[in-house]
Amino acid sequence: MHNELRRHIEEIVSLTDDEYSLITSHFTLQKFKKNDFLIRQGESVKYTYFVISGLLKLVYYDESGKEHILSFAMEDWWETDYQAFYSTSDATMSLQCLENTTVLRITLKDYHHLCAILPKIVLFFLKKATSGHVASQQRLLSLLSSSAQDRYEQLLHRYPSLFQRVSKTLLASYLGVSRETLSRLTL
Amino acid sequence: MHNELRRHIEEIVSLTDDEYSLITSHFTLQKFKKNDFLIRQGESVKYTYFVISGLLKLVYYDESGKEHILSFAMEDWWETDYQAFYSTSDATMSLQCLENTTVLRITLKDYHHLCAILPKIVLFFLKKATSGHVASQQRLLSLLSSSAQDRYEQLLHRYPSLFQRVSKTLLASYLGVSRETLSRLTL
DNA sequence: TGTAAATAGTGATGTATGTCACAGCATCTT
DNA sequence: AAGATGCTGTGACATACATCACTATTTACA
């Protein structure tokens, strides 16, 4: 069976076999093909997803139809429209496959249930939420204080694999510049 | 004594008097004057702060000396350089008073201790970390997809009190535009 | 295998925003 | 009270980046 989740959780809290069974019983395995949607902007958000393999984009389409990428979610990432997921409201962004992708998904109810019966998992989720917050803040800082050129270099330095896996057009949407501008930057 | 913290926590999890005593025993009350630093860029970060009253700015000074404001922390906000706090490394940003400010502070050790002896507080911190993450993502989205004019309107709509409490120069640093540009925007 | 769609580069031009400079007030300090 | 310091607005000018248009390749797929 898939042990990616166990390995991932045990980087932060250790688990007995029974505890891990308890955890997996709250998740469902699901496979998607390239371009499939896990979440569609405007529709309800039922799940949070743990990426086992593949690649997703969390993306917002503005009124003019331009796409803005909030994040790329790869192996071992947790992703959803968190705002919508926790408040049970409609998605303001979409979550879509850039490659064939396998995930484990959990509902909000099961998430709460799991937290209630397995306190140590709350510590794990706290750690994840904290690093997510820190990561968003770093990205914010880089948007506020760095030029497109610098942001591009920072991104490739941090996630060199992205350069192979996604188009320049998508990288541009992530960096907050037009594809033409990105194309004119020197590597 | 100060009950702001209790009220704040009980918005999320309910507490007995004993539990609240346990919590307060992990915090220390501290007062600062306008312009005082709670955290200085480059120095170590010992505490996370809960703001009882007053106003703080979380700010990053880039190589050219320009300031970029990551957030304004007002009453009921938790603030620190989280990256540095959790990893016990040096601050990449400063936390400074814009008004005389009263806070409750907690060390990383006490934070972990409190989580260990009072599991329900972990749920509270998880909720806070989650909303912090969501808030950063919203801000990211607004930087990626909105003009300076729109971001200004969004900010004033969301935090009308800021307009009274901080200078246009600081609002500009928060919005990621020059003070001259902000000054030319129509309200 | 062939046709359509997606991707990437680049020139020409427009525009939002930055930078520099200066002036008028308001606020703080001694 | 006087001088220093900070805040705000505004003109002149510079620049990073967006937009539009076109072309050349590569990739998808029927």
Side-chain angles (χ1 to χ4, degrees):
Chain A
M1 222 237 122
H2 293 279
N3 269 326
E4 289 84 356
L5 181 58
R6 180 165 191 169
R7 183 187 32 70
H8 177 64
I9 296 177
E10 291 212 282
E11 283 171 11
I12 292 169
V13 294
S14 54
L15 298 172
T16 65
D17 289 352
D18 282 352
E19 285 168 343
Y20 184 59
S21 301
L22 196 59
I23 292 171
T24 49
S25 73
H26 288 74
F27 286 86
T28 305
L29 188 73
Q30 193 173 14
K31 294 185 181 224
F32 294 93
K33 293 227 170 292
K34 182 170 177 174
N35 296 323
D36 282 356
F37 284 88
L38 285 70
I39 295 172
R40 276 175 201 274
Q41 204 165 320
E43 300 185 358
S44 73
V45 178
K46 296 202 166 51
Y47 311 103
T48 286
Y49 302 91
F50 172 72
V51 182
I52 292 178
S53 67
L55 183 63
L56 305 169
K57 63 174 177 185
L58 183 64
V59 62
Y60 166 76
Y61 295 92
D62 66 24
E63 320 75 48
S64 74
K66 199 153 86 178
E67 81 168 5
H68 305 277
I69 296 188
L70 266 114
S71 78
F72 296 108
M74 34 193 129
E75 292 78 11
D76 279 12
W77 281 47
W78 294 83
E79 202 63 271
T80 191
D81 177 335
Y82 287 103
Q83 156 73 38
F85 177 72
Y86 289 114
S87 66
T88 327
S89 53
D90 288 345
T92 57
M93 28 202 164
S94 296
L95 185 58
Q96 189 179 10
C97 296
L98 297 176
E99 302 173 358
N100 292 345
T101 300
T102 303
V103 301
L104 285 170
R105 62 173 211 214
I106 186 171
T107 63
L108 184 60
K109 198 177 157 192
D110 281 343
Y111 171 82
H112 284 144
H113 183 251
L114 188 56
C115 287
I117 63 174
L118 188 64
K120 73 164 70 164
I121 200 72
V122 185
L123 279 172
F124 168 79
F125 286 132
L126 174 57
K127 187 74 184 282
K128 283 292 137 185
T130 301
S131 13
H133 185 193
V134 167
S136 299
Q137 251 188 208
Q138 298 287 120
R139 176 121 180 264
L140 213 44
L141 199 55
S142 132
L143 274 176
L144 284 175
S145 67
S146 302
S147 67
Q149 173 79 54
D150 288 348
R151 298 202 301 276
Y152 191 32
E153 287 167 11
Q154 287 165 25
L155 178 66
L156 291 185
H157 181 258
R158 184 160 188 145
Y159 301 109
S161 71
L162 274 186
F163 191 66
Q164 325 298 331
R165 293 171 84 179
V166 316
S167 69
K168 301 280 178 66
T169 306
L170 289 174
L171 288 183
S173 300
Y174 178 90
L175 291 170
V177 294
S178 67
R179 58 159 210 88
E180 293 92 335
T181 295
L182 186 69
S183 165
R184 280 183 259 257
L185 296 178
T186 65
L187 241 185
Chain B
M1 221 232 127
H2 292 283
N3 268 327
E4 289 83 355
L5 181 59
R6 179 165 191 169
R7 182 185 36 71
H8 177 66
I9 295 176
E10 291 212 281
E11 284 171 13
I12 293 170
V13 294
S14 54
L15 297 172
T16 65
D17 288 353
D18 282 353
E19 285 167 343
Y20 185 58
S21 301
L22 196 58
I23 292 170
T24 49
S25 73
H26 288 73
F27 286 86
T28 305
L29 187 73
Q30 192 173 14
K31 295 186 180 225
F32 294 93
K33 293 226 169 293
K34 182 170 178 174
N35 296 322
D36 282 355
F37 284 87
L38 285 72
I39 296 172
R40 277 175 200 273
Q41 204 164 321
E43 301 186 356
S44 73
V45 178
K46 297 202 165 55
Y47 311 103
T48 286
Y49 301 91
F50 172 73
V51 181
I52 291 178
S53 67
L55 184 63
L56 305 169
K57 64 175 176 185
L58 182 64
V59 63
Y60 166 76
Y61 295 92
D62 67 24
E63 321 73 49
S64 75
K66 199 153 85 176
E67 83 168 1
H68 305 277
I69 296 188
L70 266 113
S71 79
F72 295 108
M74 33 195 131
E75 292 78 10
D76 279 12
W77 282 47
W78 293 83
E79 201 63 270
T80 191
D81 177 336
Y82 288 103
Q83 157 73 38
F85 176 73
Y86 289 114
S87 66
T88 326
S89 53
D90 288 344
T92 58
M93 25 201 165
S94 295
L95 185 59
Q96 188 179 10
C97 296
L98 297 175
E99 302 172 357
N100 292 344
T101 298
T102 303
V103 300
L104 285 169
R105 62 172 211 219
I106 186 172
T107 64
L108 183 60
K109 198 176 158 195
D110 282 343
Y111 171 82
H112 284 145
H113 184 251
L114 188 58
C115 288
I117 63 174
L118 188 64
K120 73 164 71 164
I121 200 73
V122 185
L123 278 172
F124 167 79
F125 286 132
L126 174 57
K127 187 73 184 284
K128 284 291 138 189
T130 302
S131 14
H133 185 193
V134 167
S136 300
Q137 254 190 204
Q138 299 287 121
R139 176 123 180 263
L140 213 44
L141 200 54
S142 131
L143 274 177
L144 284 175
S145 67
S146 303
S147 67
Q149 173 78 54
D150 288 349
R151 297 203 302 277
Y152 190 32
E153 286 167 13
Q154 287 165 26
L155 179 65
L156 291 185
H157 182 258
R158 185 162 187 141
Y159 302 108
S161 70
L162 274 186
F163 191 65
Q164 325 298 333
R165 293 170 83 177
V166 317
S167 70
K168 301 283 179 67
T169 306
L170 289 173
L171 288 183
S173 301
Y174 178 89
L175 292 170
V177 295
S178 67
R179 57 161 211 89
E180 292 93 336
T181 294
L182 186 71
S183 165
R184 283 185 256 256
L185 296 178
T186 65
L187 241 185

